[in-house]
Amino acid sequence: MNDIFEYDKRKADIGYRIKKERKLLKLTQSELAGRVSTTEGNNTTIGQSTVASWEKGITIPPLGRLIILSHIFECDIAYLLGDIKSRKWEHTDINQYTGLTHDAIDVLHKVYQKGAAQMSAIYLISALIETIDFQVVSQEINKITGLSDLAMQSKNLEQLVVNPCFEYTKDGRVIFPLKETRDFKKDQIIKMLIESLQKGIDLVVANQIFALYKDKIIKTAPGAANTRDGLKGQ
């Protein structure tokens, strides 16, 4: 019988995600079973074999236990069911809006959740996104891709056709060999990214220093004392 609803595939996907999330929490199957049973709070308990059955795609957890699992894993039920690729609906929206990969979104979210201790990294990433000319980066990477494709198709420079990625002398000879041209373009991209990274770090550090000494700066600013005295006299 044809599985027109892809039921078997759905069971396998659910099992895979339960297993993946369990391992991320470094739980054994027995430990996960215990947490589910404790959360249910009734006389019915499950054991390691039940979790193993879920993970192998033999059975699917009932709705109540899917809710418990999503709470334990801190993800949406839709993720466990295989309806969305990211662990949260908002991550899926971010992916569709920005094109960032689901794993990248998860990493950024986990860093952000750590709060003040990790905010420097978030500010730096924001600064990089705001300052890097991604259109130029994409154009240069596409050129490198084109050069690499030509390299795979050609055994030597004499076999290369005229290509706008190359610079030519008046007699039609290539100025730079293929490998050197690719390396030069890669070095240019790396240089631009390093410069943006350095500027981003300087900006984040400057903002943090200002935040630390903001009150002192305001108190010692020219006219600050007069302003305070003027307010007192009103």
Side-chain angles (χ1 to χ4, degrees), residues 10 14 17 61-71 74-84 86-89:
R10 177 61 65 98
I14 293 171
R17 296 192 177 193
L63 178 59
R65 286 174 181 165
L66 279 171
I67 294 173
I68 292 172
L69 287 170
S70 67
H71 175 74
E74 296 183 354
C75 66
D76 289 332
I77 291 180
Y79 168 74
L80 293 180
L81 291 173
D83 291 332
I84 58 176
S86 293
R87 300 177 73 257
K88 298 279 188 178
W89 269 112

Side-chain angles (χ1 to χ4, degrees), residues 18 22 29 32-33 46-56:
I18 291 174
R22 174 178 64 80
Q29 291 179 336
L32 178 58
I46 63 171
Q48 177 271 332
S49 60
T50 300
V51 175
S53 180
W54 295 342
E55 293 185 356
K56 291 177 182 178

Side-chain angles (χ1 to χ4, degrees), residues 81-100:
L81 291 173
D83 291 332
I84 58 176
K85 293 182 179 180
S86 293
R87 300 177 73 257
K88 298 279 188 178
W89 269 112
E90 55 264 33
H91 296 184
T92 299
D93 293 337
I94 293 170
N95 166 259
Q96 294 176 350
Y97 186 72
T98 66
L100 287 173

Side-chain angles (χ1 to χ4, degrees), residues 164-176:
C165 293
F166 294 112
E167 294 183 49
Y168 292 86
T169 59
K170 289 182 180 180
D171 61 359
R173 295 182 63 83
V174 179
I175 295 177
F176 297 114

